[in-house]
């Protein structure tokens, strides 16, 4: 969903506040009329409320009425009520929504026809077609099969009608229509009396936010301050940073000469080395909030392109799209999916589109503006195990990496899917001779023209993201690789292993290692407990490529990639972190306890 301008957002919030104040204003009017002695006026007011066709602007009640009319075969009442809604509400919308209103009218009519066929009321279908059939025939297209519905036995078994007889389609229609009605009401010009309650609501919201911030500050004081025996308060996080800074190998040091000789670096020489003398920028957490959105462990979570929304999916197949900012005007969406999500990604060009890959070679697209799902075929049947998905940096494309088996990436297929055309634009089958390739992680460069695929065996391939042709290969000879990222100037790659080893590899000449270090995540002699080892879902580089975020257990740690120094850390979850994501100024960590932490950071 695209971000609203401040002026538009303020208007939408005012309109919403006005609609939500109806019952409060109605009570005030009753009190006023009783105070003035207008008893007859009060009786007339109550009668009008009982006959209120707008249902107090409750979207769910309006949708329930139109669906009941369709299912109860009251087509005349349905069309008349829809005409009223069009004149009352839809005619005030932006013209671009006219197609949406026509689409919902079409679906309601088809719900009536399917209900009549299910109840074997063919005479009602005949009457409807006698009156409206000629108009539908002129529209042609997918209406043609419906013109003969009266004469078809068991239409629910026919592919062109099957979906309209299922409960899933009715549920989807109810959800989408409710969401649409909820976007219609804020577009209305509300009377001034409805805005009287706005200030009261705003003050209540500010009090709640102030309470949250005060609680946050009290929590920070408890975490960051403790008394030393000699007196004075010392920050625990700052202590950790200073301890790491004093370690024997805190900075990303040049690789040993035995590994990279001067004659081996063909093009760049010392320019490929990471400078350890320049001051390195660090990130600091400025705000850390926790959200309980799920009742089960979260397996996928991603920021939208604008950073306004978060899509999260849990182990009970519940998908939620929500905004961490309480002042956001974005609607919260929830879907109990009938399929298992193996990967999800937001469209970087159209911020309201969310893509989900399932385990049966399909891509599902959720339009968060209309709350409608669509499905497209994608994967090669022989490579149905999704390893990773990357959205195109500047276009509506998805780059997918899939393998024949979930436990190996030795034989993979890379595909470039064009979302606009709903087709595969390019495909390439890649094979690696490394027997230990259990999985693969991927990263795009800043403009999305290059993609790096890093196998757990240490084999890294750099591809042209448009043609999928291999342009460079790096053999790191490392094992258990779980993270990869381009440097800002794109002359090198940074590679992270499951135990926190951080190395830099030149993309010039012979593609050799130029620097190495270790992230202090608790590894002893290069080993970590199984639940503390990193994986592809718990390693992410910041957009400026200067910091890397890892989550070895129940919190996120931010390290500077040049110095390998710990910059800051988020608060802890009650259980292990399952997935992280990093945006332009915030990061999220989702946990197996169903919580999501959203932390805002700033550069110092």
């Amino acid at each position: 969903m695209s971000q609203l301008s401040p002026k538009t957002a303020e208007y939408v919030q005012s309109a919403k506040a006005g609609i939500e104040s109806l019952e409060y204003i109605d009570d005030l009017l009753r009190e006023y009329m009783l105070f003035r002695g207008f008893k007859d006026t009060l009786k007339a007011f109550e009668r009008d409320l009982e006959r209120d066709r707008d249902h107090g602007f409750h979207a769910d009640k309006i949708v329930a009425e139109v669906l009941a009319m369709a299912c109860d075969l009251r087509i005349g009442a349905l069309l008349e009520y829809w005409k009223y809604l069009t004149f009352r509400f839809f005619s005030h919308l932006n013209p671009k929504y006219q197609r949406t209103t026509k689409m919902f009218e079409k679906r309601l009519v088809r719900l009536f026809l399917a209900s009549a066929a299910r109840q074997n009321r063919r005479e009602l279908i005949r009457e409807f077609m006698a009156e409206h059939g000629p108009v539908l025939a002129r529209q042609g297209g997918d209406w043609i099969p419906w013109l003969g519905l009266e004469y078809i036995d068991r239409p629910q078994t026919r592919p062109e009608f099957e979906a309209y007889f299922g409960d899933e389609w009715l549920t989807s229609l109810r959800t989408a229509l409710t969401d649409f009605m909820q976007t219609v009401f804020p577009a209305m010009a509300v009377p001034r009396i409805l805005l009287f309650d706005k200030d009261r609501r705003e003050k209540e919201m500010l009090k709640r936010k102030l309470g949250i911030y005060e609680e946050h500050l009290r929590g920070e004081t408890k975490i960051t301050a403790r008394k030393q025996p000699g007196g004075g308060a010392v920050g625990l996080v700052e202590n950790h940073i200073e301890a790491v800074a004093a370690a024997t190998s805190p900075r990303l040091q040049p690789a040993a000469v035995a590994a990279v000789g001067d004659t081996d670096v063909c093009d760049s020489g010392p320019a490929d080395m990471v400078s350890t003398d320049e001051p390195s920028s660090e990130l600091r957490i400025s705000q850390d909030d926790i959200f309980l959105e799920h009742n089960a462990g979260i397996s996928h979570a991603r920021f939208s392109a604008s950073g306004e929304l978060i899509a999260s999916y849990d182990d009970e197949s519940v998908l939620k799209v929500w905004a961490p900012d309480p002042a956001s005007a974005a609607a919260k969406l929830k879907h109990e999916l009938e399929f298992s999500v193996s990967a999800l990604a937001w469209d970087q060009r159209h911020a309201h589109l969310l893509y989900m890959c399932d385990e049966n070679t399909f891509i599902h697209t959720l339009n968060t503006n209309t709350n409608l799902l669509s499905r497209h075929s994608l994967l090669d049947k022989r490579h149905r195990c999704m390893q990773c998905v990357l959205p195109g940096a500047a276009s509506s494309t998805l780059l997918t990496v899939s393998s024949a088996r979930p436990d190996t990436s030795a034989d993979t297929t890379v595909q470039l899917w064009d979302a606009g055309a709903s087709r595969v634009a390019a495909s390439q089958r890649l094979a690696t001779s490394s027997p230990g390739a259990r999985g693969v992680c991927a990263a795009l460069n800043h403009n999305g023209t290059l993609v790096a695929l890093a196998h757990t065996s240490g084999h890294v391939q750099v591809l042209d993201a448009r043609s999928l042709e291999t342009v460079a290969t790096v053999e790191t000879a490392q094992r258990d690789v779980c993270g990869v990222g381009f440097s800002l100037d794109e002359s090198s790659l940074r590679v992270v292993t499951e135990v926190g080893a951080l190395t830099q590899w030149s993309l010039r000449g012979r593609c050799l290692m130029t620097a190495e270090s270790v992230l202090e995540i608790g590894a002893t002699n290069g080993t970590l407990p199984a639940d503390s080892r990193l994986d592809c879902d718990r390693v992410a580089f910041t957009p400026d490529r200067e910091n890397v975020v890892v989550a070895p257990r129940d919190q996120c740690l931010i390290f500077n990639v040049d110095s390998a120094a710990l910059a800051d850390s988020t608060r802890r979850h009650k259980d292990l972190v399952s997935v992280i994501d990093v945006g332009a100024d915030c990061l999220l960590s989702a946990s197996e306890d169903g919580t999501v932490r959203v932390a805002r950071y700033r550069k110092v």
Side-chain angles (χ1 to χ4, degrees), residues 36-54:
R36 293 295 305 274
F38 299 157
K39 295 183 178 179
D40 292 339
T41 305
L42 177 59
K43 291 180 181 179
F45 179 65
E46 296 290 357
R47 285 196 300 270
D48 286 340
L49 286 179
E50 292 177 0
R51 297 194 297 263
D52 181 19
R53 302 187 73 182
D54 299 335

Side-chain angles (χ1 to χ4, degrees), residues 460-474:
V460 182
Q461 297 163 288
V462 180
L463 312 180
D464 184 314
R466 292 158 295 190
S467 64
L468 303 184
E469 296 293 332
T470 302
V471 297
T473 301
V474 181

Side-chain angles (χ1 to χ4, degrees), residues 120-154:
N120 200 26
R121 298 291 302 274
R122 297 179 182 272
E123 72 279 4
L124 295 180
I125 301 176
R126 186 183 311 117
E127 293 174 3
F128 176 82
M129 289 302 176
E131 183 176 354
H132 302 282
V135 176
L136 300 180
R138 285 195 296 271
Q139 294 181 14
D142 58 353
W143 271 116
I144 298 300
W146 291 85
L147 300 177
L149 180 64
E150 174 191 354
Y151 308 101
I152 298 175
D153 292 328
R154 302 186 65 209

